[in-house]
């Protein structure tokens, strides 16, 4: 058996073509696809289900998972661990941490866990999922795919108004102070960018700890900037009217021209194919680190600082409620 691949936010603009690519080119994998709403009342879940229906005989399942609820994340992880241990699912081959959250129109949001929502959904919940499931990979290892963005680099994204930075007091990431002035678009984007910076920074620490464990060092982790996706629904969700207008009437129809200015501008379908090829170790097998599209790249200086990586690692264990009793990565606590 080829193994199990889990994808979060599997009904997203990027994930649906990724699922189609998996079912077309890699049909031996078992796909566990998570979404917040599993019903056909959600038009995107309905589209995901229609995509799967075109490939009868493949092994897929759709599960409800709200990453804004850490108890739900742990419950989901418990279920997957049990299914794999009882032979109901093949061992993990890849975990594709595709989900994220941003809100550029409202003020600061917190989850039921009391954490800033963008940071929990994008970073903390995925960290919990990875560390809970890391012991369920097969003996040959596999790959964890995390998602970053050019937004994690100060000054690289046109939507940036306030640069992303990990503060000395990391608790401010999860319980930030109220914005001094109402600037929902600027501060909302900054919260998104900071969460993507945390993803990259944490990735380096994860790889370092995995390499220390003889049974886990064949699991490699990458953080990919999949590009600026011209047809992403995110540009029209929780965004100001002007961004919706630009996305609908400029970026989508003229994306092929914009790419001459921004080489990372491309469609979600092309990005989804690259993500799958990385997840299956077809592209850059056994490599680790930060990628832009399919090219190995350099992330921000702050993300490369080992002291910052370690501080974030330690705090993330606490935020995500990871203990020596619920993860196989025992080196994480040394």
């Amino acid at each position: 058996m080829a193994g199990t691949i889990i994808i979060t936010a599997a009904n997203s603009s990027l994930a649906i073509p990724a699922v189609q690519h998996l079912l077309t080119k890699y049909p031996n994998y078992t796909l566990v696809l998570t979404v917040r709403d599993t019903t056909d009342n959600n038009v995107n879940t309905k589209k995901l289900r229609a995509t799967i229906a075109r490939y009868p005989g493949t092994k897929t399942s759709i599960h409800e998972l709200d990453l804004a609820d850490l108890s739900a994340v742990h419950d989901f992880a418990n279920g997957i661990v049990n299914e794999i241990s009882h032979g109901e699912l093949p061992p993990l081959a890849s975990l594709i941490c595709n989900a994220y959250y941003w809100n550029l129109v409202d003020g600061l949001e917190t989850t039921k866990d009391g954490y800033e929502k963008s940071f929990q959904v994008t970073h903390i919940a995925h960290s919990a999922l990875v560390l809970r499931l890391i012991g369920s990979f097969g003996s040959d290892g596999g790959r964890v795919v995390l998602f970053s963005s050019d937004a994690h680099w100060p000054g690289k994204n046109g939507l940036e108004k306030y640069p992303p930075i990990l503060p000395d007091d990391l608790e401010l990431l999860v319980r930030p102070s109220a914005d001094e002035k109402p600037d929902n678009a600027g501060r909302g984007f900054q919260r998104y960018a900071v969460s993507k910076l945390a993803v990259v920074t944490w990735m380096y620490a994860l790889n370092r700890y995995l390499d220390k464990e003889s049974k886990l060092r064949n699991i490699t982790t990458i953080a990919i900037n999949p590009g600026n996706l011209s047809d992403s629904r995110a540009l029209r969700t929780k965004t100001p009217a002007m961004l919706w207008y630009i996305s609908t009437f400029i970026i989508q129809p003229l994306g092929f021209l914009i790419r001459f200015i921004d080489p990372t501008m491309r469609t979600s379908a092309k990005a989804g194919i690259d993500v799958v090829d990385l997840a299956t170790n077809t592209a850059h097998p056994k490599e680790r680190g930060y990628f832009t599209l399919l090219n190995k790249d350099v992330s921000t200086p702050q993300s490369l600082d080992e002291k910052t990586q370690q501080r974030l690692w330690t705090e993330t264990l606490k935020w995500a409620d990871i203990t020596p009793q619920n993860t196989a990565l025992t080196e994480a606590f040394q």
Side-chain angles (χ1 to χ4, degrees):
M1 291 184 289
T4 296
I5 294 178
I6 297 175
I7 306 177
T8 64
N11 58 358
S12 71
S13 300
L14 181 150
I16 290 177
V19 168
Q20 182 172 346
H21 186 56
L22 277 164
L23 296 176
T24 303
K25 299 296 183 181
Y26 307 99
N28 292 330
Y29 284 99
T30 298
L31 305 187
V32 174
L33 309 173
T34 79
V35 297
R36 279 181 297 153
D37 181 359
T38 59
T39 72
D40 281 349
N41 292 329
N42 184 296
V43 65
N44 302 311
T45 300
K46 187 175 182 179
K47 183 177 179 182
L48 172 64
R49 196 168 274 120
T51 299
I52 295 169
R54 296 202 296 270
Y55 301 88
T58 54
K59 301 174 287 293
T60 63
S61 58
I62 299 175
H63 300 253
E64 181 179 339
L65 179 60
D66 182 2
L67 297 176
D69 180 354
L70 287 175
S71 64
V73 174
H74 283 278
D75 288 345
F76 173 78
N78 285 335
I80 296 296
V81 169
N82 288 335
E83 288 187 57
I84 291 175
S85 64
H86 288 95
E88 297 167 18
L89 280 176
L92 279 180
S94 183
L95 182 52
I96 302 176
C97 300
N98 168 61
Y100 75 90
Y101 181 80
W102 73 0
N103 187 343
L104 310 188
V105 293
D106 301 312
L108 181 68
E109 291 182 277
T110 56
T111 66
K112 65 183 295 184
D113 301 292
Y115 299 145
E116 193 280 311
K117 190 171 183 179
S118 292
F119 197 79
Q120 174 168 327
V121 171
T122 307
H123 172 60
I124 300 174
H126 282 131
S127 301
L129 200 58
V130 169
L131 293 175
R132 289 298 315 279
L133 296 178
I134 206 72
S136 296
F137 277 78
S139 57
D140 292 336
R143 178 162 270 168
V144 175
V145 180
L146 305 174
F147 281 69
S148 187
S149 163
D150 66 357
H152 95 280
W153 261 102
K156 281 201 173 182
N157 192 289
L159 294 178
E160 179 190 305
K161 189 172 180 180
Y162 309 100
I165 188 169
L166 300 176
D168 291 336
D169 181 2
L170 294 179
E171 194 68 14
L172 291 173
L173 296 172
V174 294
R175 295 183 176 88
S177 55
D179 297 335
E180 293 181 7
K181 298 187 210 176
D183 185 358
N184 295 336
R187 291 301 180 188
F189 188 79
Q190 184 187 38
R191 286 188 276 270
Y192 159 79
V194 167
S195 70
K196 293 297 189 179
L197 172 58
V199 166
V200 179
T201 305
W202 186 82
M203 174 267 300
Y204 292 113
L206 175 60
N207 276 325
R208 195 159 54 246
Y209 281 113
L210 287 171
D211 198 45
K212 292 179 180 179
E213 298 257 10
S214 59
K215 293 182 179 179
L216 301 176
R217 63 170 53 112
N218 285 332
I219 303 170
T220 59
T221 307
I222 64 164
I224 181 175
N225 164 19
N228 290 314
L229 308 182
S230 59
D231 56 348
S232 174
R233 293 196 310 271
L235 295 173
R236 302 181 298 281
T237 305
K238 297 281 188 180
T239 56
M242 180 56 71
L243 185 54
W244 181 93
Y245 181 90
I246 292 171
S247 168
T248 304
F249 297 107
I250 298 176
I251 294 177
Q252 287 193 68
L254 299 178
F256 67 100
L257 292 175
I258 297 172
R259 193 169 184 194
F260 288 104
I261 302 170
D262 177 6
T264 72
M265 180 69 69
R266 59 179 179 163
T267 65
S268 299
K270 289 183 178 178
I273 289 171
D274 284 354
V275 166
V276 166
D277 289 345
L278 287 166
T280 57
N281 268 302
T282 304
H284 299 283
K286 302 300 181 182
E287 286 196 46
R288 299 170 168 85
Y290 177 69
F291 285 76
T292 296
L293 312 188
L294 283 182
N295 302 312
K296 193 75 177 287
D297 208 347
V298 178
S299 58
T300 65
Q302 188 178 35
S303 71
L304 295 171
D305 179 74
E306 286 197 18
K307 289 183 179 178
T308 302
Q309 294 166 9
Q310 188 58 43
R311 288 194 304 116
L312 181 63
W313 177 266
T314 301
E315 291 303 303
T316 299
L317 292 176
K318 179 182 71 175
W319 297 327
D321 196 21
I322 298 298
T323 69
Q325 288 72 46
N326 64 16
T327 183
L329 192 60
T330 56
E331 282 288 336
F333 301 89
Q334 300 302 317

